[in-house]
Amino acid sequence: MRVVIGEDHALLRDGLERILRAHDVEVVATADNAPSLVKALREHAPDIAIVDVRMPPTLTDEGLRVAIEARRERPAFPVLVLSQYVENLYARELLEDGAGGVGYLLKDRVSDVGAFVQAVHQVADGGTVLDPEVVRHLIARRPQGSRMDRLTDREREVLGLMAEGCSNAAIAASLFVTEKAISKHTNAIFSKLDLPVSADDNRRVLAVLAYLND
Amino acid sequence: MQPIAGRPQIMLAHAVAVLLFGPTVALFVLGVVGTALTPLGIGVLLLLVVVPATRLLATGQRSMAQEILQRPIVQDYLGTQGLGPIARVQRWAKDPARWRDLLWELSSITVGFTLSVLSLALFLYPLWSIVWFGLWKGLPDVFDDPYGMHITTTGQAVATSAAGAVVGALVWWFTVQPIARWRFGLDAFLLGLSRQAVLARRVREVTTSRAQGADAAAAELRRIERDLHDGAQARLVALGMNLGLAAELIEKDPEAARELLVEARDNSGDALQDIRSVVRGIHPPVLADRGLADAIRAVAVDLPIDFELDLRPPAVSAPLESAIYFGVAECLANMGKHSRATSGWVSLVVHDDRIHIEVGDNGVGGADPAGSGLRGVAGRLAVFDGTMDVSSPTGGPTIVTMEVPCG
C-alpha cells in the first residue's frame, strides 16, 4: 500500500511515517503545506492520503479542503483525516458524496498503533471509519422525530460501531453476540433508514451518512 | 465656583498673552488678507503659511486656558493629510475650527488683550504707588498732584503712597480671578468644543477603544489556542505514537522500544514546558502570587540587562493590573530580543490619579510602534483609557511611555 502524508508538524509526521513503515506500509511522499500536498497527490496517485485538517498556509481547515477536492478529482479516493479536534460538520462534508473510503479520527487514536493501521487499511479498501468521539456526539444529540427514532437501542449501538469502522465480526465481538445476530441488526437498520439495496459496504457508508445528517 | 489656577500662574499667563499680542494681530491681518486674496492665488500661498501658524498659536492659548481654568479644552480640526495645497485650503475653508481660530484672534486682540492689560495694570499699581513716593521725594514739583490732591509733606506722601499700595493690592487680589475667568473663559469658548461635541468625541473614543480591546482579547485567545494546538497537544500526540509503537516492539525489538520510550519521556517534558509557557502567557504565576511590582521584577531578572527599577504600583483592579503587566512584559521582551541594550529602566509611579509607566533602554532603537506586539499593548491599554507613546530613533535610546488612569 502506498501512502501520502500531509502533516505540518515534523514530530507527528515522523511518528506517522515510523508507525506505517513498521507495518510495511510504503510512505511515498510527505507534505507540510496544502499546495505541496495537492502536488504530491497528483504526482504519486497513492492508495490513500493521510491528512491533517489544519495546515499552512492558512492554518485553518486547509487539509480538509484538499482532501475533499482530491475526492472530487478522483471519486472515492481514500482519505483518512486526522485532527486535534473532531467536528461533526467536517465528518459530514467528507462523507457527503456517499462514496466511502473516508476516515476521520482524532490524532490521539494513532497511539493505539494496531487499531490505527487497521483503520488505514479499512479506509484504503473503501470502508468508513469515524472517531468514537464523533459517534458519541451523535448519540448524545438526537432530534425528536428523526429516522433514528425508528431504531431500537441495540440497533443504534450497532450503527455507532459501524460508523467507527467496525466489521460485523468486530461488532459481534464487542457486543458479545453472534455475527449472525449482527447481520440481522444491520439489515434491520438498512431497511428502517430506507437505504437502497446495493453492495453491503456502500450501504454501510450510507447508513453512517444518514446517521450524521440527522 | 469653578476651580481656577493660583494668582502667580494667572499673572504669568496674562503676561504671555500680552507678549503674544503682536504676533496675533499680524496673523489675524494676514489671515483676513489671505482669505480675501484667495481668488488671486497669492492668497493661497499666504494661507498655507498663516493657517498652520494660527493653529499653533491657538493650541498654545488652549493649553494656557486649560491650565488656568483647570478643565480640558479640546478642538477637532479636519485632517489634511495627503492633500495638495489647493485642496488643503479648500478643506480649511470648510472647517469650522479654523474659522473659530480666526474669530478668536479677533477677540483676543480686542476684549482679551484689554482684560489682560487691565489685570496686569492692577497688579503693577501698588508698585507704582511706592515708586511714586520715590519720584515725589526726588521731583516734588512734578509729582505733587496725584488725583487732584496737593501733597506737600512727607507724612501726606507716605499716607498717599501706602493707601494707594494697599487699596491697589486689595483691588488686584479680588479681581484677578474673575478677570482671568472672563478672559480665558472667552478663549475657551471660542477655541474649544462645546460640551456636546466633547461628549460626542468621547463616545467615539470609547467606541474605538472598546473595539480595540475586543480585538486584542480575540487575538489573545487565538494565540493561546494556536500555542496549545501546535505545542503541547502535538507533543502529547507524538508521545502517544511513540508509546504505542514501543508497546508493539517491546517483544520483537526491545532496543528500539527503549529508544522510543526515552524519546517519549523527552516529549512529555517538552509538552509540560509548552503548557507552562502558555499558562504564563495567560496569567503569570508571579503576578498571581505577588502582584505587579514583583511580576515586572521577575521579567526583568530574566534578561541579561542591568535594570534600574522604580516600581510603586497602586492597588488596581485585576484586569488593569494584567494589562499593565503585559504591556511592560511586551516592552521588555522586545528589549531582550531586538535592542542589544546593556542597561534599561522601568518606572511605574502614580501622579495625579494617573499611573505613569516608562520603559527605556540604551539600545539601538528603531522599535516599531505599529508592530503587532506594541499595537496589542496600545489596544489593551485603550480599554482603560490609557495611552502609549513610543520614541525610538535609530541609534536609540528607546523609551516607551504608558499612561493610564488609576481606574
Side-chain angles (χ1 to χ4, degrees):
Chain A
M1 189 169 30
R2 301 164 66 256
V3 180
V4 167
I5 297 176
E7 161 66 72
D8 56 313
H9 219 284
L11 212 52
L12 304 186
R13 212 170 41 235
D14 295 349
L16 282 170
E17 264 194 88
R18 209 184 282 170
I19 287 169
L20 293 168
R21 291 222 164 96
H23 291 82
D24 302 322
V25 175
E26 192 191 348
V27 179
V28 290
T30 60
D32 62 2
N33 64 67
S36 64
L37 175 62
V38 172
K39 227 173 86 197
L41 291 179
R42 289 206 182 119
E43 209 169 301
H44 298 279
D47 301 316
I48 180 170
I50 298 177
V51 179
D52 178 12
V53 169
R54 195 187 273 196
M55 284 178 90
T58 61
L59 286 174
T60 51
D61 60 347
E62 210 83 348
L64 180 78
R65 279 185 280 140
V66 170
I68 290 172
E69 197 48 46
R71 282 169 66 82
R72 236 175 253 145
E73 280 182 27
R74 268 179 64 189
F77 167 56
V79 173
L80 173 54
V81 175
L82 296 175
S83 174
Q84 304 267 27
Y85 311 96
V86 286
E87 297 285 347
N88 291 338
L89 179 70
Y90 292 177
R92 197 180 309 169
E93 285 174 8
L94 275 166
L95 287 165
E96 217 136 40
D97 54 19
V102 171
Y104 184 34
L105 292 174
L106 272 177
K107 284 185 180 175
D108 326 357
R109 308 291 173 214
V110 180
S111 61
D112 184 351
V113 175
F116 170 69
V117 173
Q118 205 191 336
V120 173
H121 281 284
Q122 248 171 313
V123 173
D125 295 340
T128 303
V129 180
L130 291 182
D131 199 277
E133 192 63 28
V134 175
V135 174
R136 223 195 327 276
H137 257 291
L138 291 168
I139 289 175
R141 51 147 211 101
R142 240 191 20 261
Q144 285 299 305
S146 67
R147 283 182 296 176
M148 288 300 149
D149 280 352
R150 302 176 195 165
L151 304 185
T152 63
D153 282 350
R154 187 50 133 186
E155 285 161 354
R156 262 196 293 275
E157 211 173 348
V158 171
L159 181 53
L161 288 165
M162 217 191 282
E164 286 174 27
C166 296
S167 63
N168 281 2
I171 298 174
S174 77
L175 298 180
F176 305 110
V177 293
T178 62
E179 215 174 315
K180 218 170 128 195
I182 297 299
S183 254
K184 258 194 9 219
H185 282 310
T186 52
N187 283 329
I189 292 167
F190 294 150
S191 68
K192 281 185 182 176
L193 297 181
D194 311 322
L195 295 173
V197 181
S198 61
D200 197 40
D201 267 354
N202 191 22
R203 290 178 100 193
R204 287 175 94 89
V205 175
L206 293 173
V208 171
L209 192 59
Y211 186 35
L212 282 173
N213 276 335
D214 226 47
Chain B
M1 208 60 187
Q2 291 281 324
I4 192 156
R7 288 175 178 78
Q9 246 182 320
I10 291 176
M11 292 328 291
L12 194 62
H14 280 309
V16 172
V18 167
L19 287 176
L20 286 173
F21 175 75
T24 312
V25 172
L27 280 175
F28 175 70
V29 171
L30 289 173
V32 171
V33 170
T35 309
L37 295 183
T38 304
L40 298 180
I42 181 78
V44 174
L45 289 179
L46 198 57
L47 287 180
L48 284 174
V49 177
V50 172
V51 174
T54 300
R55 176 173 174 175
L56 206 64
L57 186 71
T59 304
Q61 188 72 16
R62 223 172 269 129
S63 62
M64 211 150 70
Q66 191 165 289
E67 283 298 311
I68 300 302
L69 300 175
Q70 304 195 335
R71 62 184 165 91
I73 296 159
V74 289
Q75 178 63 289
D76 276 335
Y77 290 92
L78 293 179
T80 54
Q81 266 180 327
L83 292 180
I86 306 285
R88 188 170 301 187
V89 172
Q90 284 171 328
R91 173 74 52 93
W92 287 336
K94 282 206 266 309
D95 187 351
R98 303 284 178 180
W99 290 105
R100 289 176 67 164
D101 281 0
L102 194 68
L103 188 61
W104 164 76
E105 283 177 330
L106 181 60
S107 90
S108 170
I109 57 186
T110 51
V111 180
F113 177 72
T114 309
L115 288 171
S116 286
V117 168
L118 175 66
S119 200
L120 285 165
L122 288 170
F123 173 70
L124 293 173
Y125 183 82
L127 292 178
W128 158 247
S129 203
I130 292 158
V131 170
W132 168 85
F133 175 76
L135 292 170
W136 175 85
K137 265 303 233 198
L139 304 162
D141 301 350
V142 183
F143 292 96
D144 58 357
D145 294 342
Y147 310 116
M149 295 181 291
H150 194 66
I151 307 291
T152 48
T153 66
T154 304
Q156 282 175 325
V158 167
T160 307
S161 169
V166 170
V167 171
L170 283 173
V171 170
W172 169 76
W173 183 261
F174 287 108
T175 57
V176 62
Q177 287 180 331
I179 292 177
R181 244 187 258 283
W182 295 331
R183 148 100 238 210
F184 294 104
L186 181 63
D187 291 341
F189 170 71
L190 290 171
L191 289 176
L193 293 170
S194 66
R195 264 190 80 80
Q196 211 175 352
V198 169
L199 286 175
R201 180 177 149 138
R202 177 81 190 117
V203 169
R204 271 202 304 280
E205 276 172 10
V206 170
T207 310
T208 312
S209 78
R210 193 184 56 179
Q212 273 180 318
D215 282 351
E220 204 59 21
L221 287 175
R222 267 200 308 277
R223 186 184 60 77
I224 291 166
E225 190 268 349
R226 191 151 289 175
D227 284 353
L228 282 173
H229 181 277
D230 294 343
Q233 269 181 311
R235 284 188 204 283
L236 288 170
V237 170
L239 172 74
M241 288 183 190
N242 283 346
L243 290 174
L245 202 51
E248 278 205 336
L249 291 176
I250 205 136
E251 306 284 325
K252 273 195 300 192
D253 187 352
E255 192 46 41
R258 215 181 67 87
E259 268 173 41
L260 285 169
L261 288 173
V262 170
E263 207 176 303
R265 189 194 55 199
D266 292 346
N267 257 332
S268 77
D270 292 344
L272 207 53
Q273 203 55 42
D274 281 339
I275 292 174
R276 266 192 216 113
S277 77
V278 171
V279 169
R280 224 176 264 277
I282 296 169
H283 196 73
V286 184
L287 185 61
D289 297 345
R290 319 259 301 260
L292 198 49
D294 276 349
I296 292 172
R297 208 163 278 131
V299 179
V301 159
D302 288 341
L303 292 175
I305 297 173
D306 285 337
F307 272 101
E308 254 184 70
L309 300 174
D310 175 17
L311 305 171
R312 287 172 285 164
V316 290
S317 66
L320 177 55
E321 186 179 59
S322 165
I324 294 172
Y325 169 83
F326 282 108
V328 174
E330 177 68 28
C331 297
L332 291 177
N334 287 341
M335 199 187 291
K337 269 189 288 209
H338 311 297
S339 77
R340 302 211 290 273
T342 51
S343 72
W345 71 92
V346 183
S347 77
L348 192 158
V349 292
V350 181
H351 180 67
D352 278 351
D353 250 358
R354 288 178 76 76
I355 305 169
H356 296 259
I357 305 146
E358 196 174 276
V359 183
D361 66 58
N362 67 349
V364 294
D368 178 14
S372 70
L374 287 175
R375 252 214 337 269
V377 172
R380 259 187 155 168
L381 287 175
V383 180
F384 301 94
D385 282 332
T387 55
M388 185 185 75
D389 182 56
V390 181
S391 145
S392 185
T394 310
T398 299
I399 300 175
V400 180
T401 33
M402 293 171 257
E403 247 196 51
V404 63
C406 285

